[in-house]
Amino acid sequence: MTDNTPQNSLTLLGLGDMGTALARTWLAAGHRPTVWNRTAAKAEVLAAEGAVTAASPAEAVAANRLVVVCLLDDASVGSALDGIDLTGKDIVNLTTGTPAEGRARAAWAEARGARFVDGGIMATPTMIGVPEAGGYVFYSGSRALFDTHRATLEVPAGARFVGEDPGHAALHDVALLSAMYGMFAGVSHAYALTEGEDIAPEDLAPLLSEWLGAMGFFIGNAAERLTSRDFTSGVVSNLAMQVAGSGTLLRTAEEQGVSAELISPYLELMRSRLTADPAAHGGEDTAGAITLLKR
Ligand code: FVH
């Protein structure tokens, strides 16, 4: 049964892969979203499933107080909402962007009389509406907006509010994605090293998963060291040893005919930390190298 009380009604701009997945979970939960998409055919598919279609972004925005935006990038958000009356609207922007774009978009919306929350989706479209998949969305910006619409926002995926700075949802999103790409880089290098040898990727896969899981302790350990600025107490694998060992990694890449481009930046960062002051940093945990990154 549809529930289109003002509390549960919403507009959704953008019906790409992610927007369509969002719309379907709201429909399945009994909402009747008003949807708009630049390419109208995608909206018509959802109309057949129960959504209300709008002929323009202005018509869609006018239909409801809560307006969820899930477009390609910040520029497409600007072009879709350009010139539309946003007075009294609650805008939740799930379009991926930078922290600065989130802050600028919040100021832009507030100057037009709207409340604004930015979001960073930590899920693929197939994880939307599947709570056991573990996907969720970071939100930041207007706490009042978030509290008003929390129940609706939690329909597609879990909601994690990370503060009133509208740039912080994007910052959390990008921090986690950046860590993910670091892991992808290391795993890619490992597969390249073993390719062509009598080591099947399927045999290496569980070993990689197990090892990366065991090494996950670095995350919490580095957090504690960054907070305390103590990079030397209780170190079990010191920087001098790790830099010496990194030569083995580079020579092995050479022997296997594999480019070291994915791992050498991190090895070089450790080396820079050590060579700046071997006596001071040789006994440190590698977390000390993080301090070199901030420009
Ligand atoms: N899909 C994913 O795995 C990731 C998961 C994490 C979050 N991202 C972000 O979500 C935003 C939308 O992603 P998407 O997967 O829906 O992307 P597309 O399928 O490529 O759909 C893009 C939609 O944006 C519309 N669009 C593009 N340019 C404009 C424009 N200038 N004016 C108005 N609309 C525009 C596009 O319309 P159309 O091509 O169908 O006409 C789609 O509705 C995104 O920020 C991800 O980074 C997804």
Side-chain angles (χ1 to χ4, degrees):
M1 201 172 92
T2 59
D3 178 0
N4 241 17
T5 57
Q7 193 86 348
N8 291 308
S9 65
L10 76 148
T11 283
L12 174 62
L13 303 181
L15 296 171
D17 292 338
M18 183 54 78
T20 297
L22 296 170
R24 287 200 165 119
T25 60
W26 277 309
L27 284 166
H31 298 252
R32 194 162 184 235
T34 296
V35 298
W36 171 84
N37 193 64
R38 181 181 60 177
T39 304
K42 292 181 188 170
E44 275 142 30
V45 171
L46 283 164
E49 298 175 24
V52 179
T53 57
S56 67
E59 187 183 311
V61 168
N64 292 294
R65 178 173 167 192
L66 174 60
V67 177
V68 177
V69 186
C70 188
L71 298 173
L72 186 63
D73 54 19
D74 184 64
S76 44
V77 175
S79 81
L81 293 178
D82 186 38
I84 294 177
D85 182 9
L86 301 180
T87 312
K89 299 297 174 184
D90 286 343
I91 298 175
V92 174
N93 182 26
L94 300 182
T95 306
T96 301
T98 69
E101 285 170 347
R103 291 178 186 126
R105 191 55 65 195
W108 177 90
E110 283 156 15
R112 286 158 180 77
R115 297 191 296 186
F116 183 90
V117 156
D118 204 44
I121 304 176
M122 304 311 298
T124 62
T126 52
M127 294 162 75
I128 296 298
V130 185
E132 59 276 20
Y136 62 88
V137 181
F138 286 121
Y139 292 97
S140 71
S142 166
R143 176 89 220 190
L145 184 166
F146 179 74
D147 288 343
T148 303
H149 300 291
R150 181 173 196 148
T152 301
L153 296 175
E154 282 181 333
V155 168
R160 300 187 187 188
F161 189 81
V162 290
E164 301 220 78
D165 182 332
H168 277 188
L171 191 53
H172 280 76
D173 183 358
V174 172
L176 268 58
L177 290 177
S178 300
M180 176 191 81
Y181 281 119
M183 182 187 76
F184 287 179
V187 169
S188 300
H189 184 80
Y191 278 126
L193 283 180
T194 52
E195 196 172 25
E197 299 277 349
D198 190 17
I199 301 171
E202 291 77 9
D203 292 336
L204 193 65
L207 301 175
L208 285 168
S209 295
E210 186 183 63
W211 179 245
L212 291 177
M215 291 299 103
F217 79 87
F218 174 77
I219 300 168
N221 185 275
E224 284 173 22
R225 292 188 185 283
L226 285 169
T227 300
S228 66
R229 310 313 276 183
D230 177 359
F231 299 112
T232 51
S233 301
V235 171
V236 289
S237 302
N238 69 65
L239 187 66
M241 177 280 294
Q242 300 228 34
V243 171
S246 68
T248 305
L249 272 64
L250 295 170
R251 290 197 308 282
T252 302
E254 184 84 29
E255 287 174 14
Q256 295 299 106
V258 169
S259 163
E261 65 194 304
L262 294 180
I263 62 163
S264 48
Y266 188 70
L267 302 181
E268 181 56 29
L269 189 76
M270 288 196 298
R271 199 191 60 75
S272 298
R273 176 72 171 173
L274 179 67
T275 54
D277 190 343
H281 302 311
E284 281 185 350
D285 185 88
T286 51
I290 298 169
T291 60
L292 298 185
L293 289 172
K294 199 84 181 176
R295 296 278 178 251

